[in-house]
Amino acid sequence: MQRGYAKSRHFDGKNPIPYGIPGRHRDDASAQHGSHSEIEMSDAVDIIGRATVEASGKDEARLGTSESAARDAAVVRFLRAINWMPGWCRYDPENPPKFTFAMNILLAFSTTFTVANLYYPQPILNVIAEDFDVSYERSSNVATLSQAGYAVGLLFLCPLGDIVPRRPFILFLIFVTATMWIGLCLTTKFEAFVSLSFLCGVGTVMPQIMLPLVGDLAPAHRRASSLSLVVSGLALGLLVARVLSGVVANFTAWRNIYWLALGAQYLTLTLLFFTLPDYPAKNKGLNYLKALWKMAVLIVEEPLLIQACLMGFLLSAAFTNFWTTLTFLLASPPYNYSSLEIGLFALIGVAVISLAPVWSRLITDRFVFLFSSVLGLSVELVGIIIGTFIGTFTVAGPVIQAILMDTGSNMAHTANRSNIYNLSPNIRNRVNTVYMVFCFAGQLTGTAAGNRLYAQGGWVWSGSMNVGFIGIAILIGFVRGPRESGWVGWKGGWSIKRDEDSTEKAKGRVANEEAQAPPEQAEPSAS
């Protein structure tokens, strides 16, 4: 009997110590029968309690697992719902999306009515100041904070284009920005208006995510002309925003331009939802901080990128200096133009923009990109010299300068982007971000320095600074040749024609670039 109890390890009625344990007997505790009975009862309660807790824990674990699974399933269903797309937009690796001219036009116009968000308030800051009963200085914060928000989005959102699928990312940015824009249409508090302007500026970076996508979708032999069309859309957005804003505010309530912009954003969202092709993430799982750090590394590792960025900085500085100080020139004697006439002056650039894809196809796609950059800078330099020294007594000066500057700037920016996009397909968003950060810094520099010089010496002083900017940019272009792999030099010759083998390699690389890019560890460091 004792052996049976030893095997089952049951407790004895008088002794809580199990049978079968060496050196322990029932008689050892017979003198303390009462206390042992209490201990026996206590241990039984503990055992029952532990068993109850364990059973309850298992039930809760099952319930928690069930609830967690239900939540995960709900999240998956939600993500599938918001990421739903028409069948013709879905990515098929065996049949990658074809980049048609119609798609190119649609993407260009989508960037036009997105980037225009930054420029709607600029011609009507005085009207905004009167409506909110604030000073002109405070009303200028609307434009300033819109640009500041754009800079934040440029630096922290655009690199995500190398990590996440771009179709849902682009649509999400447009939707969030358009929804916040409703507040700009309705709010009567200046502080809220300024804050929303900043937030909308952050979301307006969609065109800078679209440009690298065009670089992926467009065939290599048509990449420059395709990018030129989208870059022209960006420039058109600046012009359209200023003209429409001035005209609408002059004849109706200034808020109407904001309602018009709201409709344009939701229309853009709808069109892109049904037409924008899906494209796989280029570096799925890449750490965000690592992606940001990569941009800092690129600045010190890629001579081609730095050359293009410095040229872009000087290009942007000259461009914004001209268009900012032009307002002061046309509003002063001998012209004395009204604000509406000054706004309509920007329409000069429309003809230039419409021709940009033509000369991109004829020049930029046929010759080395550095040649197109230097050629564009040279055209711009001629326009600046003419406009600077005859613009004080004839309006032909600013007109000629506007035409040549728009032409040269578009040509040089397109060539620079086409060039740096060849570094590696899977870092194009970060490469574009680095380039645009330099360009944005150039815009701030050109505006600040140009206004100061105009105040001290007038139109000639500010124009002379532009001559210096573009002259330095041309020198930077000549410091490093199109086939040079180092920081300085002209290895590979001076020929402006593209090498036949390079062209064939570029065409043969299209299929790989349209498919999912290789992991970032395999990124080439080409110049």
Side-chain angles (χ1 to χ4, degrees):
M1 179 67 67
Q2 186 173 350
R3 291 175 185 172
Y5 280 108
K7 290 181 181 178
S8 62
R9 297 184 65 84
H10 285 177
F11 287 96
D12 179 47
K14 296 181 180 179
N15 192 342
I17 299 175
Y19 283 150
I21 299 178
R24 299 296 179 95
H25 305 282
R26 289 190 298 173
D27 294 340
D28 294 340
S30 59
Q32 301 179 7
H33 174 75
S35 62
H36 282 307
S37 298
E38 293 175 1
I39 295 174
E40 181 184 41
M41 181 64 67
S42 175
D43 287 344
V45 171
D46 287 344
I47 292 172
I48 295 172
R50 283 197 298 269
T52 303
V53 169
E54 289 176 1
S56 176
K58 290 179 180 178
D59 290 340
E60 290 179 358
R62 292 191 193 98
L63 182 60
T65 302
S66 177
E67 292 178 351
S68 176
R71 284 196 302 268
D72 292 344
V75 170
V76 169
R77 286 195 299 270
F78 174 74
L79 291 176
R80 286 177 178 173
I82 64 174
N83 198 33
W84 182 88
M85 67 186 75
W88 56 84
C89 293
R90 299 182 187 278
Y91 182 77
D92 181 2
E94 297 182 359
N95 185 27
K98 293 181 173 54
F99 191 70
T100 63
F101 182 71
M103 174 61 66
N104 204 170
I105 292 290
L106 176 62
L107 298 186
F109 275 105
S110 69
T111 61
T112 296
F113 291 104
T114 302
V115 78
N117 294 344
L118 298 174
Y119 302 103
Y120 288 123
Q122 290 187 2
I124 58 173
L125 290 175
N126 58 326
V127 182
I128 293 175
E130 294 174 3
D131 191 66
F132 283 106
D133 194 21
V134 297
S135 65
Y136 288 168
E137 184 178 2
R138 287 194 66 193
S139 71
S140 66
N141 290 333
V142 175
T144 302
L145 287 177
S146 295
Q147 295 286 343
Y150 183 75
V152 170
L154 194 66
L155 190 58
F156 295 107
L157 290 184
C158 286
L160 289 171
D162 283 336
I163 303 175
V164 301
R166 280 164 290 181
R167 173 189 157 89
F169 188 34
I170 289 171
L171 297 178
F172 174 77
L173 285 178
I174 299 174
F175 173 76
V176 172
T177 304
T179 303
M180 290 190 297
W181 195 269
I182 297 174
L184 292 175
C185 298
L186 297 174
T187 184
T188 57
K189 301 292 184 181
F190 182 72
E191 292 75 13
F193 191 86
V194 170
S195 301
L196 287 171
S197 296
F198 173 82
L199 294 175
C200 289
V202 174
T204 304
V205 294
M206 182 278 284
Q208 300 306 329
I209 301 169
M210 186 77 76
L211 279 165
L213 179 60
V214 172
D216 290 331
L217 295 174
H221 61 285
R222 287 200 300 112
R223 183 172 296 141
S225 56
S226 300
L227 286 172
S228 176
L229 201 57
V230 180
V231 172
S232 298
L234 286 172
L236 185 63
L238 184 151
L239 301 178
V240 166
R242 289 179 173 175
V243 173
L244 283 180
S245 186
V247 171
V248 171
N250 191 68
F251 294 104
T252 68
W254 68 270
R255 294 267 189 180
N256 289 337
I257 189 62
Y258 277 83
W259 285 109
L260 182 63
L262 177 66
Q265 290 177 75
Y266 276 117
L267 177 61
T268 300
L269 176 64
T270 303
L271 291 175
L272 290 182
F273 180 83
F274 288 104
T275 56
L276 184 64
D278 191 23
Y279 202 83
K282 290 183 153 291
N283 302 284
K284 190 175 182 180
L286 175 65
N287 182 272
Y288 175 66
L289 295 179
K290 181 181 177 182
L292 294 180
W293 175 249
K294 179 66 175 180
M295 293 192 296
V297 173
L298 286 171
I299 295 176
V300 297
E301 285 187 350
E302 293 292 349
L304 170 61
L305 179 60
I306 288 300
Q307 182 185 37
C309 286
L310 292 176
M311 295 166 71
F313 173 90
L314 296 166
L315 267 167
S316 300
F319 187 83
T320 54
N321 175 29
F322 166 70
W323 283 103
T324 301
T325 55
L326 178 65
T327 301
F328 304 141
L329 174 71
L330 297 179
S332 305
Y335 306 114
N336 296 316
Y337 287 172
S338 67
S339 58
L340 179 60
E341 290 171 322
I342 295 173
L344 293 175
F345 195 90
L347 291 175
I348 294 173
V350 173
V352 175
I353 291 170
S354 62
L355 293 175
V358 176
W359 45 251
S360 288
R361 189 70 180 270
L362 295 176
I363 299 175
T364 311
D365 279 331
R366 295 189 176 185
F367 300 98
V368 293
F369 295 124
L370 182 61
F371 169 73
S372 296
S373 296
V374 174
L375 179 61
L377 289 166
S378 301
V379 170
E380 189 164 349
L381 181 61
V382 172
I384 292 171
I385 293 174
I386 293 173
T388 297
F389 296 105
I390 72 172
T392 54
F393 58 85
T394 174
V395 76
V399 170
I400 295 173
Q401 182 172 351
I403 293 174
L404 295 183
M405 281 196 74
D406 284 350
T407 301
S409 179
N410 196 307
M411 181 184 293
H413 279 306
T414 299
N416 284 341
R417 279 194 172 94
S418 300
N419 210 1
I420 61 178
Y421 286 175
N422 284 332
L423 289 175
S424 177
N426 54 337
I427 60 171
R428 279 183 181 146
N429 281 275
R430 281 166 287 173
V431 164
N432 186 71
T433 296
V434 173
Y435 183 74
M436 282 307 303
V437 166
F438 273 82
C439 290
F440 189 80
Q443 292 176 14
L444 298 179
T445 301
T447 300
N451 288 343
R452 186 173 183 83
L453 283 176
Y454 189 92
Q456 293 181 350
W459 176 253
V460 174
W461 279 36
S462 64
S464 297
M465 182 180 69
N466 281 350
V467 173
F469 281 153
I470 301 303
I472 295 173
I474 292 175
L475 292 178
I476 292 173
F478 280 111
V479 164
R480 182 180 178 279
R483 300 170 184 84
E484 174 63 52
S485 58
W487 291 91
V488 178
W490 277 76
K491 292 179 184 176
W494 295 72
S495 175
I496 64 173
K497 291 184 177 180
R498 291 197 193 183
D499 300 330
E500 291 299 327
D501 56 340
S502 297
T503 303
E504 292 303 320
K505 288 179 182 179
K507 292 181 179 179
R509 197 170 58 237
V510 174
N512 293 330
E513 292 180 355
E514 289 178 336
Q516 186 171 0
E520 181 158 318
Q521 289 78 0
E523 288 173 2
S525 178
S527 300

